[in-house]
């Protein structure tokens, strides 16, 4: 019997890179899951909650709880949304809510994926992913090194994965921080992209579209010779090719 999974679509991912949602679905189905995308999804309430608009956030929380509450497993391509729900929705989704890379790495545990991505890729470790979702080991903690994103990229043929200096330092997006403190945010993003460039990589990849959106804006504005790509697109590249054949 297939594991039934509800796919939570973060509003900013749908707005900035909707292909990520379809690639999540393709990837999960390839790995043996039955995927449901509940209709009527909106925002999880993170922007409103972080800005202090608790009543507005609570209404969104109620709606998302009604849409997703019946499912035993909920997966999403956003560490920031996942950690917000875990921290602010109480016990509603305890033990059944996963960031998609966490879910694939820890629960599905594939031995290989049918993809080839013959490029040098610099891995961006997002703040929420590292310190709240447990996708990699924080550099400030004296614990054995691990990186679940790097492990998953290792399932793809022909890829070369590198990490920049200060690998888990913030890129400067930080949600509302990038609006309220935009000069600082931009400078942090510039420094981050330059460190990715120094690796000689062709692409920056990450599990959070928000970080990629921020760095992509800087790359575009300054005409830097590097691109951004969500990790799910790399992991699903061979699956999409198989379906076209």
């Amino acid at each position: 019997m297939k594991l039934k999974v509800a796919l939570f679509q973060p509003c900013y991912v749908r707005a900035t890179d909707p292909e990520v949602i379809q690639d999540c679905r393709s990837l999960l189905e390839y790995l043996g899951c039955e995927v449901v995308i509940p209709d009527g999804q909106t925002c999880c309430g993170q922007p409103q909650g972080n800005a202090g608009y608790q009543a507005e956030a609570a209404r969104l929380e109620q709606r998302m709880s009604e849409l997703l509450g019946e499912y035993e497993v909920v997966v999403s391509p956003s560490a920031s949304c996942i950690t917000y729900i875990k921290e602010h929705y109480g016990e509603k989704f305890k033990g059944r809510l996963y960031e998609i890379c966490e879910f694939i790495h820890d629960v599905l545990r594939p031995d290989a994926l049918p993809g080839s991505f013959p490029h040098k890729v610099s891995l961006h470790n997002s703040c929420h992913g590292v310190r709240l979702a447990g996708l990699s080991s924080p550099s400030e903690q004296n614990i054995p090194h691990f990186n679940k994103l790097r492990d998953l990229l290792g399932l793809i043929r022909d890829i070369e994965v590198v990490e920049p200096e200060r690998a888990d330092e913030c890129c400067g997006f930080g949600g509302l921080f990038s609006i309220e403190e935009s000069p600082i945010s931009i400078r942090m993003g510039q420094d981050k992209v330059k460190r990715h460039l120094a690796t000689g990589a062709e692409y920056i990849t990450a599990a959070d579209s928000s970080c990629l959106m921020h760095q992509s804006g800087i790359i575009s504005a300054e005409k830097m010779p590097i691109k951004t790509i969500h990790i799910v697109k790399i992991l699903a590249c061979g699956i999409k090719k198989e379906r076209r054949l």
Side-chain angles (χ1 to χ4, degrees):
M1 184 176 178
K2 290 185 176 182
L3 177 62
K4 191 172 185 178
V5 174
L7 185 57
F8 162 45
Q9 308 176 76
C11 54
Y12 75 92
V13 178
R14 290 201 311 270
T16 63
D17 199 355
E19 188 180 342
V20 170
I21 303 298
Q22 294 307 313
D23 286 342
C24 286
R25 182 172 199 158
S26 298
L27 190 54
L28 291 169
E29 289 178 342
Y30 177 86
L31 294 172
C33 298
E34 178 187 350
V35 181
V36 179
I37 304 179
D39 290 333
Q41 295 185 51
T42 55
C43 179
C44 68
Q46 180 179 189
Q48 295 83 357
N50 289 346
Y53 295 98
Q54 299 304 322
E56 289 81 356
R59 286 196 290 271
L60 291 166
E61 174 188 330
Q62 179 63 31
R63 177 169 180 78
M64 294 302 291
S65 297
E66 291 171 357
L67 289 172
L68 301 173
E70 67 180 270
Y71 299 98
E72 293 186 11
V73 177
V74 179
V75 174
S76 180
S78 171
S80 60
C81 294
I82 289 295
T83 53
Y84 180 82
I85 292 172
K86 285 182 177 180
E87 290 184 351
H88 295 275
Y89 280 35
E91 299 291 306
K92 297 173 186 176
F93 292 96
K94 185 176 181 180
R96 56 195 181 97
L97 181 65
Y98 299 88
E99 190 279 329
I100 189 168
C101 292
E102 171 195 21
F103 183 67
I104 294 171
H105 186 279
D106 294 355
V107 179
L108 300 180
R109 300 181 181 180
D111 294 324
L113 290 169
S116 172
F117 195 75
H119 302 283
K120 190 173 185 178
V121 174
S122 186
L123 182 55
H124 174 70
N125 303 301
S126 68
C127 297
H128 281 89
V130 174
R131 295 175 177 87
L132 295 176
L135 296 181
S136 62
S137 52
S139 57
E140 69 272 10
Q141 294 184 10
N142 187 24
I143 60 175
H145 177 72
F146 68 89
N147 194 310
K148 296 176 184 180
L149 304 183
R150 188 161 196 153
D151 290 346
L152 292 178
L153 289 170
L155 303 177
I156 300 296
R157 300 188 311 276
D158 305 317
I159 192 170
E160 182 182 357
V161 182
V162 294
E163 291 183 71
E165 183 186 8
R166 302 183 187 178
D168 60 352
E169 185 177 88
C170 181
C171 69
F173 177 67
L176 293 176
F177 172 79
S178 64
I179 298 171
E180 296 171 344
E181 300 289 349
S182 58
I184 300 173
S185 172
I186 291 169
R187 179 55 189 268
M188 291 173 70
Q190 290 169 334
D191 289 346
K192 191 70 180 184
V193 173
K194 287 175 182 176
R195 293 190 186 104
H196 284 300
L197 272 170
T199 68
E202 302 165 72
Y203 289 91
I204 302 168
T205 194
D208 266 296
S209 293
S210 52
C211 299
L212 294 175
M213 176 182 66
H214 180 59
Q215 293 176 74
S216 180
I218 289 167
I219 290 166
S220 177
E222 304 197 9
K223 297 180 173 57
M224 294 176 166
I226 196 167
K227 302 175 184 177
T228 62
I229 183 170
H230 196 285
I231 188 172
V232 167
K233 290 185 175 181
I234 298 176
L235 298 178
C237 65
I239 298 164
K240 290 188 291 186
K241 186 176 180 179
E242 282 188 355
R243 291 186 172 184
R244 287 196 297 267
L245 296 177

